[in-house]
Amino acid sequence: MIQELVELNGILLRTFQCKDQAYLMEVLTAERGKVFIYTKQASKTNKNTMYSWTFAYSKFEVSVGFKGLLVYRGSTVQDYFPELRKDPIVMTIGQYF
């Protein structure tokens, strides 16, 4: 079965831990709006941990999995907005929506 790879540009809003090494990321994208991306073995891959920072603007490569679930394949961080991450009030307001 050939899975279609899709590139999405988006800002990471939140991460939720599903299992021991799996995360569900809530991403606001220009192409599809707010989507959830499932990652497998996220805690084992230390080389790409910057993509999982809150408010990191990244290019995500995902494939459409079972029942339309987007499964993480890779990412490239384009900007991580350090000035937003330093202010706890701005972080709280940004994560509220």
Side-chain angles (χ1 to χ4, degrees):
M1 180 173 154
I2 299 174
Q3 294 183 347
E4 176 187 357
L5 284 177
V6 179
E7 286 189 358
L8 301 173
N9 293 315
I11 296 177
L12 180 70
L13 299 177
R14 290 179 241 201
T15 57
F16 305 99
Q17 187 168 4
C18 296
K19 297 180 181 176
D20 288 339
Q21 298 173 352
Y23 287 92
L24 194 61
M25 298 186 296
E26 184 179 7
V27 180
L28 181 63
T29 66
E31 295 85 7
R32 294 190 180 192
K34 187 165 62 169
V35 297
F36 290 93
I37 300 175
Y38 180 74
T39 62
K40 297 177 184 177
Q41 299 180 350
S43 62
K44 284 188 176 180
T45 58
N46 291 330
K47 64 180 181 176
N48 288 332
T49 56
M50 195 170 178
Y51 75 87
S52 65
W53 287 359
T54 305
F55 295 120
Y57 181 71
S58 304
K59 181 182 287 187
F60 295 94
E61 293 178 5
V62 296
S63 62
V64 179
F66 181 69
K67 292 187 179 180
L69 182 67
L70 298 174
V71 180
Y72 174 78
R73 298 288 179 221
S75 67
T76 305
V77 176
Q78 296 174 351
D79 196 1
Y80 63 96
F81 303 110
E83 61 277 358
L84 290 177
R85 299 185 81 236
K86 291 179 183 176
D87 189 0
I89 295 173
V90 172
M91 289 285 288
T92 305
I93 293 171
Q95 289 179 342
Y96 180 73
F97 299 104

